[in-house]
Amino acid sequence: MESSSATSGGSTRREATRQKLYEAAVTLIAEQGFSATTVDEIAERAGVAKGTVYYNFASKSVLFEELLRHGVGLLTASLREAAERTSREGGTNVDALDAMIRAGLVFIDRYPAFTQLYVAELWRTNRTWQSTLMVVRQQAVAVVEDALREGVAGGELSEEIDVSLTASALVGMVLVAALDWKSFQPERSLDDVHAALSRLLQGRVSGCR
């Protein structure tokens, strides 16, 4: 029992250290770019020794790849939880899509620097972590695809919907609209932005039958 507790404690401390490194890396890279950011700067911002960075990650590239995996994983989990909660409450699939839009906005509001990095990296094709980024992106989009497919199967949505493209468009809509909100219209509330995107969803998805 003592050994198990010690192992658990060590795991918790390592996860806390990794979280500090993620936060330091995403802030620095958002400020000055990946190439200009050094491991020394990441360690200093996180308040740890440089060796701690290499203890947890083999290189700066590995750290960034794991950062992308971690961040998109959090986004995916929040989308899935929103959809599942809506289902438990008896909502429709369009309600689930609307709940996911809000969950996405909440995530971006909480992690704007990560979202900025994520969107920027989607347009790059020369990164070593490109394949990882595509995998985790698809995991997030797949949650939206599931709600669309269920809506089509249940007659709630038109059979003419291109599920894959529509799911990507909805995710992209939230990402771009939220970045525009945070950068150029910060005076608007999350509720206000959600209401605008919700009206767009209702008109373009549920109203296309």
Side-chain angles (χ1 to χ4, degrees):
M1 181 69 69
E2 182 178 346
S3 175
S4 176
S5 177
T7 300
S8 176
S11 177
T12 300
R13 285 192 297 273
R14 186 176 187 188
E15 185 55 38
T17 299
R18 281 177 167 245
Q19 186 63 41
K20 287 196 295 185
L21 291 171
Y22 288 145
E23 292 172 359
V26 74
T27 302
L28 285 166
I29 295 171
E31 290 174 353
Q32 56 195 35
F34 177 79
S35 298
T37 300
T38 67
V39 172
D40 292 278
E41 289 174 320
I42 293 172
E44 181 179 359
R45 181 69 65 93
V48 302
K50 181 178 180 179
T52 301
V53 180
Y54 289 115
Y55 175 76
N56 285 275
F57 305 99
S59 66
K60 185 177 70 170
S61 292
V62 171
L63 167 57
F64 191 62
E65 183 172 349
E66 288 302 312
L67 168 64
L68 290 172
R69 192 189 301 274
H70 174 74
V72 180
L74 290 176
L75 172 60
T76 301
S78 67
L79 297 179
R80 184 176 294 109
E81 196 280 329
E84 291 175 349
R85 183 178 65 252
T86 302
S87 178
R88 289 194 302 270
E89 295 173 352
T92 66
N93 285 290
V94 172
D95 291 334
L97 291 168
D98 187 56
M100 283 189 274
I101 286 176
R102 184 174 185 84
L105 291 173
V106 169
F107 176 88
I108 294 165
D109 188 40
R110 184 176 181 183
Y111 304 109
F114 172 79
T115 305
Q116 180 183 351
L117 279 181
Y118 171 66
V119 172
E121 290 303 314
L122 285 175
W123 291 97
R124 302 181 191 276
T125 59
N126 61 340
R127 302 295 205 190
T128 59
W129 51 76
Q130 188 66 24
S131 60
T132 296
L133 183 59
M134 292 300 100
V135 169
V136 295
R137 170 201 168 275
Q138 184 53 40
Q139 290 172 352
V141 172
V143 181
V144 182
E145 289 179 347
D146 288 343
L148 289 170
R149 288 195 185 92
E150 290 177 10
V152 172
E156 184 182 346
L157 302 176
S158 171
E159 294 181 356
E160 297 180 358
I161 287 179
D162 184 318
V163 170
S164 178
L165 188 58
T166 301
S168 295
L170 288 173
V171 172
M173 174 185 74
V174 173
L175 290 172
V176 174
L179 287 177
D180 184 89
W181 162 42
K182 302 301 290 184
S183 299
F184 304 113
Q185 305 179 64
E187 72 283 356
R188 301 185 68 166
S189 69
L190 190 151
D191 287 340
D192 186 27
V193 177
H194 174 227
L197 297 187
S198 181
R199 285 191 291 271
L200 185 59
L201 169 72
Q202 297 291 338
R204 299 306 184 195
V205 176
S206 62
C208 64
R209 292 195 59 175

